[in-house]
């Protein structure tokens, strides 16, 4: 809207006066961040997953749509499966449905439509984003 553009221009002008750089992004006006010079190295070791003894996916989404009541779905018609040897990383913008999908996989949230199934003979583990900091 016009007011948002005026507010954004005001923020950019104030930043220029103060000698700061501002960056426009999908998520709004963001202050520029410093480059990371030192990176901490770590290793994740996954044990041999073994087998469930069945030739079925551990997790399966069939045309799953998820969201919260009164809001637009965060994702629609998602179909995929993970088998016992899968290792999955979930990446995306804030608010795109990553946590919602994980909560659905972990059976903490029911899909709005479609079917999410988990093999009852398997164990699904979730490593949180800030797991190493805890």
């Amino acid at each position: 809207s016009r007011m948002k553009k005026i507010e954004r221009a005001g923020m950019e002008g104030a930043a220029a006066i103060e000698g700061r750089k501002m960056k426009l992004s999908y998520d709004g006006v963001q202050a520029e961040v410093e480059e990371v010079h030192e990176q901490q190295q770590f290793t994740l070791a996954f044990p041999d997953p073994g087998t469930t003894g069945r030739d079925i996916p551990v997790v399966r989404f069939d045309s799953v749509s998820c969201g919260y009541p009164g809001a637009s779905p965060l994702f629609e018609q998602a179909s995929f499966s993970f088998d016992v040897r899968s290792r999955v990383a979930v990446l995306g913008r804030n608010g795109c449905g990553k946590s919602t999908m994980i909560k659905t996989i972990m059976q903490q949230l029911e899909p709005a439509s479609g079917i999410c199934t988990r093999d009852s003979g398997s164990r699904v583990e979730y490593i949180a984003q800030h797991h190493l900091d805890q």
Side-chain angles (χ1 to χ4, degrees):
S1 76
R2 185 171 184 203
M3 283 306 294
K4 286 183 182 178
K5 288 179 184 177
I6 291 170
E7 288 173 13
R8 185 171 58 215
M11 290 176 71
E12 290 171 347
I17 291 168
E18 295 171 12
R20 294 182 297 143
K21 291 183 179 178
M22 299 296 283
K23 182 178 179 182
L24 291 177
S25 74
Y26 175 79
D27 299 320
V29 177
Q30 304 291 322
E32 195 166 297
V33 295
E34 295 290 322
E35 179 180 345
V36 175
H37 296 286
E38 291 184 35
Q39 292 185 358
Q40 190 177 27
Q41 292 187 357
F42 60 91
T43 303
L44 291 177
F46 295 101
D48 182 351
T51 180
T52 61
R54 298 179 290 272
D55 190 23
I56 59 174
V58 173
V59 174
R60 182 179 175 132
F61 270 36
D62 289 310
S63 300
V64 172
S65 297
C66 280
Y68 292 93
S72 299
L74 293 168
F75 59 88
E76 297 179 287
Q77 301 297 312
S79 295
F80 58 84
S81 64
F82 306 143
D83 67 21
V84 73
R85 303 203 69 73
S86 296
R87 301 294 182 265
V88 179
V90 181
L91 305 172
R93 291 183 181 268
N94 291 343
C96 72
K98 300 178 301 290
S99 295
T100 303
M101 181 184 70
I102 290 169
K103 287 176 184 176
T104 304
I105 290 170
M106 300 304 291
Q107 297 176 331
Q108 296 171 356
L109 186 65
E110 291 292 321
S113 65
I115 299 171
C116 175
T117 54
R118 274 186 38 187
D119 178 16
S120 60
S122 63
R123 185 177 74 196
V124 176
E125 294 291 332
Y126 166 60
I127 301 172
Q129 176 180 353
H130 300 289
H131 176 76
L132 294 175
D133 296 338
Q134 297 174 358

